[in-house]
Amino acid sequence: MDDFINIALPKGRLGETAASLLEKAGFGCPQALQNSRKLIFENPERGVRCFWVKPSDVAIYVERGAADLGVCGSDILAEQKPDVYELLDLGIGRCRMAVAAKNGFRDRPDRVLRVATKFVAIASDHFRRKGRQTDIIKLNGSIELAPILGLSDVIVDIVETGTTLRENDLSVIETITEISARLICNKASEKFKADRIRTLKDALHGITER
Ligand code: PRP
């Protein structure tokens, strides 16, 4: 787009942690962390521009080059399979993707398993690998309601503290994968802005915990 390094950050808690990491690494954008409706912030000295996007839109901005870099959960990468490079595990936004059901749920392997989830690709891939026939039901939120109301047998969803499951009498049956936030990069930017992207990546690498 121009001579800045454009970074798509996910709106919300993860994005705020990522913005603080950028700041610590010396590539922060002043005011980006002040609550306002403004969406784009610049740090002309470091040649960095940050903008807030919906978490599930980060990868598309990066894939299409509207952003050079982005911060994106590995759950979203596994779900959307965008054509981008993954540069770094930032070690933030840690949680897991799990299969959960009502406490005491007994699986009937002879029956098609009804699975409610926001993550259709992750759930389909997981049960395909296990050779299990499923009926995947796509929901957009409050997934935990589905088994309670009999809409599904199980759910595939993100578990962070486990509180949502516990408070709704559900429990994890199986962990599919651990999740954390990744620094992703547009494929052309990785070539044409190589030096600056490497400097930023190394600075982040120096301060992230793994
Ligand atoms: C996510 C996820 C669980 C919850 C897990 O929901 O879908 O509902 O967080 O966190 P916990 O293990 O710490 O309780 P989110 O807040 O993203 O809302 P959603 O209902 O739109 O999925």
Side-chain angles (χ1 to χ4, degrees):
M1 168 154 118
D2 49 37
D3 216 35
F4 277 78
I5 296 286
N6 293 291
I7 309 176
L9 294 175
K11 267 189 230 169
R13 204 151 43 95
L14 174 64
E16 286 161 22
T17 311
S20 308
L21 276 185
L22 279 171
E23 210 164 288
K24 263 198 222 156
F27 289 91
C29 290
Q31 270 115 50
L33 279 167
Q34 284 172 12
N35 266 334
S36 77
R37 293 278 171 135
K38 199 168 146 64
L39 296 173
I40 304 189
F41 298 87
E42 290 183 354
N43 178 345
E45 276 119 69
R46 300 309 304 261
V48 171
R49 179 183 292 121
C50 292
F51 41 90
W52 297 109
V53 306
K54 208 174 143 89
S56 52
D57 289 341
V58 168
I60 196 77
Y61 275 84
V62 175
E63 184 180 78
R64 290 177 174 259
D68 302 300
L69 297 172
V71 171
C72 187
S74 55
D75 53 331
I76 292 173
L77 297 176
E79 182 65 23
Q80 299 180 352
K81 303 181 176 75
D83 189 17
V84 298
Y85 292 130
E86 211 180 292
L87 298 185
L88 193 63
D89 183 344
L90 292 167
I92 56 175
R94 286 188 191 281
C95 51
R96 58 184 166 141
M97 185 66 67
V99 183
K102 280 204 288 193
N103 293 335
F105 168 74
R106 299 272 289 277
D107 193 8
R108 294 271 311 265
D110 53 317
R111 291 210 190 151
V112 172
L113 187 70
R114 295 171 307 150
V115 183
T117 189
K118 254 201 261 194
F119 300 91
V120 170
I122 293 175
S124 309
D125 291 350
H126 174 70
F127 287 108
R128 193 178 313 114
R129 273 196 303 273
K130 292 171 69 104
R132 183 69 200 269
Q133 244 200 322
T134 52
D135 174 12
I136 307 271
I137 303 158
K138 159 93 172 143
L139 295 179
N140 298 297
S142 301
I143 316 297
E144 292 83 358
L145 275 175
I148 297 170
L149 297 178
L151 177 62
S152 74
D153 302 308
V154 300
I155 60 172
V156 166
D157 202 12
I158 288 167
V159 179
E160 193 180 349
T161 60
T163 310
T164 312
L165 292 182
R166 224 170 12 253
E167 293 194 350
N168 290 290
D169 300 320
L170 304 171
S171 45
V172 168
I173 299 177
E174 191 182 5
T175 294
I176 298 179
T177 183
E178 301 294 327
I179 295 169
S180 59
R182 309 295 160 90
L183 180 69
I184 58 170
C185 183
N186 173 266
K187 288 192 162 176
S189 307
E190 206 260 349
K191 268 204 193 94
F192 297 113
K193 297 183 179 179
D195 290 348
R196 283 181 304 150
I197 285 175
R198 195 175 318 113
T199 308
L200 196 152
K201 177 192 150 189
D202 290 347
L204 279 174
H205 188 252
I207 57 164
T208 50
E209 302 160 21
R210 252 146 315 196

